Amino acid sequence: MQPSGTPAFGCPGTTTLGPFIVNNLGPKLAQTHPETKIIFGENAQWSAILGFVMGSKNYVRDILNLNTRITNFPVIAAGHGYIDPVTKKDPAIEPFDKAESKGIPVWLTEISDPSESYDATMTSGLKWAKKFHRFLCEANAGAIVWWAGALPDGWTTEGLINIDKNRVDYEVTKRCEVFGKLLSLHSRGQQTYLGTIQFRIGVYGVRV
C-alpha cells in the first residue's frame, strides 16, 4: 500500500507521513490486514539533486530517524528514478543506507523519462538495461516499477508500449523487450531476477 505518492508534489511530507504510518495506518492494518506492506518515501528523484533538494534516499532517512517505531510494521522504503530536471542527468544511483541498516526492503517504484524523444530501437533498450542493472546491483533495489506499461502516442519514453492515435495499432519498444528478457533470466537460473508483466498497472521486476 502506498499512502503517498511523490510527496514533494503535495502529498504528505516528512513530518506527517511517518506519524500517520506509526499511529494510524500501521496499527489499523495490523488489526485488519497484517499481510499488507506499507510503502513510504517516493520522492521524484532517487537521491539529492543540485546538492540541496531532498531525494528519496534522504526522505526515507529522515522518516526513519523521526519515527523509530515504523519498523514495527511491514514497511518498504521506496524512491522514484527520474532525472534531475535542471541538469537532465541521473542523480546518484546508490543504496538507501538507513533503510538497509534496519533490514527494510528498498524498491524503485516509478521510473521513465518523459523528456526523452521516442525511441523504440535497441539503442534505447540497452540504455535502460544499464540503468535497470544499476538500480538492482548498485542501489540494491528489490523491485522496479515502470511508470506506464502502455500509453497512447506520446512519442516519449514514458510508456513501454506505444499505442497509436487510432487506439488499435501499437509498437512494443525494445526497452520493453529488454526489461522482460532481463527478468525472465531467473527462470533459466542465469540471474537472480523474477518478473511479471501487468500492462494495466505497470511493469514489475522483483529480485529474489
Side-chain angles (χ1 to χ4, degrees), residues 19-29:
F20 173 68
I21 293 173
V22 169
N23 300 317
N24 303 100
L25 183 61
K28 186 63 176 179
L29 287 176

Side-chain angles (χ1 to χ4, degrees), residues 107 144-151 158-161 176 179-180 183 194-206:
W107 287 12
I144 295 175
V145 181
W146 188 271
W147 162 240
L151 283 179
E158 281 197 273
L160 291 176
I161 294 176
C176 179
F179 193 21
L183 301 175
L194 172 65
T196 61
I197 300 176
Q198 301 176 7
F199 286 111
R200 295 184 63 185
I201 55 175
V203 176
Y204 298 74
V206 182

Side-chain angles (χ1 to χ4, degrees), residues 56-204:
S56 300
K57 177 180 178 176
N58 290 347
Y59 183 54
V60 164
R61 178 203 64 198
D62 289 355
I63 288 177
L64 290 172
N65 285 338
L66 293 170
N67 305 274
T68 56
R69 290 189 295 125
I70 200 170
T71 55
N72 294 337
F73 306 101
V75 292
I76 296 171
H80 295 173
Y82 293 105
I83 61 172
D84 182 321
V86 176
T87 66
K88 307 301 182 185
K89 297 180 179 179
D90 286 313
I93 299 175
E94 57 193 12
F96 284 13
D97 299 326
K98 187 69 177 183
E100 288 191 4
S101 73
K102 301 290 184 181
I104 298 172
V106 176
W107 287 12
L108 171 63
T109 53
E110 194 174 308
I111 191 169
S112 70
D113 188 354
S115 69
E116 184 177 282
S117 298
Y118 182 72
D119 183 357
T121 70
M122 186 55 76
T123 299
S124 175
L126 291 174
K127 169 189 171 179
W128 284 99
K130 292 177 182 177
K131 189 173 291 191
F132 299 147
H133 175 81
R134 292 192 63 199
F135 274 107
L136 289 167
C137 298
E138 295 179 22
N140 301 326
I144 295 175
V145 181
W146 188 271
W147 162 240
L151 283 179
D153 196 35
W155 298 111
T156 70
T157 62
E158 281 197 273
L160 291 176
I161 294 176
N162 189 66
I163 302 173
D164 193 81
K165 291 178 180 178
N166 63 22
R167 298 298 197 270
V168 175
D169 300 318
Y170 62 91
E171 181 175 30
V172 179
T173 66
K174 289 300 181 182
R175 63 181 172 276
C176 179
E177 295 181 8
V178 165
F179 193 21
K181 194 68 171 179
L182 174 71
L183 301 175
S184 71
L185 292 177
H186 173 73
S187 64
R188 298 202 303 271
Q190 296 179 20
Q191 295 287 345
T192 54
Y193 302 132
L194 172 65
T196 61
I197 300 176
Q198 301 176 7
F199 286 111
R200 295 184 63 185
I201 55 175
V203 176
Y204 298 74

